[in-house]
């Protein structure tokens, strides 16, 4: 049985237009801290990224930031975190975020958030890892993506043998319980990315 000790959060470096997005990020940071679950995230201090990390720290939690060197100034790397890892490129950043996380959560964000999320879904779909992946559907933000996935199933680009195993939480308080429930069904050995895949990230 697997447990959740660290959660990787993908989210935007901007705040978005809906105040509930930032509120949700702060609430999830608080929940992580109170549950003694370490946050692994992109290292920035702006927008959704800054909100979730700052809230985790403000409530006594632990944070690992992983940021490529070219983004340290653009995204104002958060110096308060207990651990900040600066990588030479995005590929190394994503590899380390995977290795250091027991589960993945996507809060509202943009193209970068979507790209990181879809990569994890792809590897999971192909059976390369079994870590839980969850969309935090704050105020319905991810509904267009759920509609697209449904369309892909209807047009048989997502076939029966290639299901997309993704969790959904409409409320922040549902996130950790859903991740823990999913992780409890996964053997520890199944969480790891195949070595040949990790080398190619």
């Amino acid at each position: 049985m697997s447990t959740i000790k660290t959660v990787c959060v993908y989210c935007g470096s901007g705040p978005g237009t809906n105040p509930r997005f930032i509120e949700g990020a702060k609430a999830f940071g608080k929940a992580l801290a109170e549950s003694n679950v370490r946050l692994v995230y992109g290292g920035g201090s702006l927008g959704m990224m800054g909100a979730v990390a700052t809230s985790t720290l403000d409530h006594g939690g632990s944070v690992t930031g992983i940021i490529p060197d070219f983004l340290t100034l653009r995204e104002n790397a958060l110096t308060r975190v207990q651990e900040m890892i600066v990588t030479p490129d995005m590929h190394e950043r994503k590899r380390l975020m995977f290795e250091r996380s027991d589960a993945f959560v996507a809060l509202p964000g943009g193209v970068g958030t979507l790209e990181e999320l879809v990569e994890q879904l792809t590897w999971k779909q192909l059976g390369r890892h079994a870590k839980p992946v969850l969309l935090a559907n704050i105020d319905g933000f991810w509904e267009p993506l759920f509609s697209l996935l449904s369309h892909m199933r209807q047009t048989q680009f997502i076939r029966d043998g290639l299901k997309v195993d993704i969790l959904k939480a409409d409320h922040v308080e549902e996130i950790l319980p859903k991740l823990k429930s999913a992780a409890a069904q996964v053997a520890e050995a199944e969480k790891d990315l195949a070595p040949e895949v990790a080398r190619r990230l």
Side-chain angles (χ1 to χ4, degrees):
M1 186 174 79
S2 178
T3 58
I4 300 293
K5 298 178 182 176
T6 57
V7 170
C8 177
V9 172
Y10 302 129
C11 58
S13 58
T17 58
N18 187 335
R20 292 184 182 177
F21 298 157
I22 289 289
E23 291 170 7
K26 291 179 178 178
F28 188 50
K30 181 174 183 285
L32 289 171
E34 292 177 345
S35 299
N36 198 30
V37 175
R38 188 178 191 93
L39 168 67
V40 177
Y41 86 118
S45 64
L46 306 175
M48 297 286 289
M49 293 173 67
V52 68
T54 298
S55 180
T56 303
L57 294 167
D58 286 348
H59 291 91
S62 300
V63 177
T64 294
I66 304 177
I67 191 168
D69 54 7
F70 75 93
L71 284 180
T72 53
L73 293 178
R74 187 185 306 178
E75 293 185 351
N76 288 3
L78 186 62
T79 56
R80 288 178 57 198
V81 302
Q82 290 91 347
E83 181 182 32
M84 179 64 73
I85 300 170
V86 180
T87 65
D89 53 44
M90 293 289 285
H91 295 291
E92 179 72 2
R93 176 202 217 180
K94 291 192 291 182
R95 183 182 68 81
L96 289 175
M97 290 174 87
F98 175 87
E99 290 179 353
R100 288 173 173 253
S101 304
D102 297 320
F104 306 91
V105 171
L107 295 172
V111 172
T113 302
L114 182 63
E115 185 267 339
E116 290 172 318
L117 165 69
V118 169
E119 182 173 68
Q120 292 303 338
L121 288 177
T122 301
W123 291 124
K124 188 166 187 180
Q125 182 188 41
L126 295 174
R128 312 314 283 176
H129 77 84
K131 298 179 182 183
V133 181
L134 182 144
L135 287 177
N137 194 38
I138 297 172
D139 219 16
F141 179 82
W142 290 110
E143 287 303 323
L145 179 58
F146 286 115
S147 295
L148 178 59
L149 292 171
S150 177
H151 175 64
M152 289 174 174
R153 291 187 192 96
Q154 290 170 5
T155 53
Q156 296 186 11
F157 286 104
I158 298 177
R159 300 180 296 282
D160 289 342
L162 289 173
K163 68 175 183 175
V164 175
D165 187 8
I166 187 167
L167 302 171
K168 176 183 177 182
D170 291 319
H171 304 285
V172 170
E173 58 268 25
E174 299 173 348
I175 297 174
L176 283 177
K178 287 192 174 188
L179 291 178
K180 290 176 180 179
S181 177
Q185 302 172 43
V186 178
E188 193 70 28
E190 289 183 285
K191 291 196 310 176
D192 297 327
L193 195 68
E196 69 274 14
V197 175
R199 286 194 296 270
R200 294 170 185 167
L201 280 180

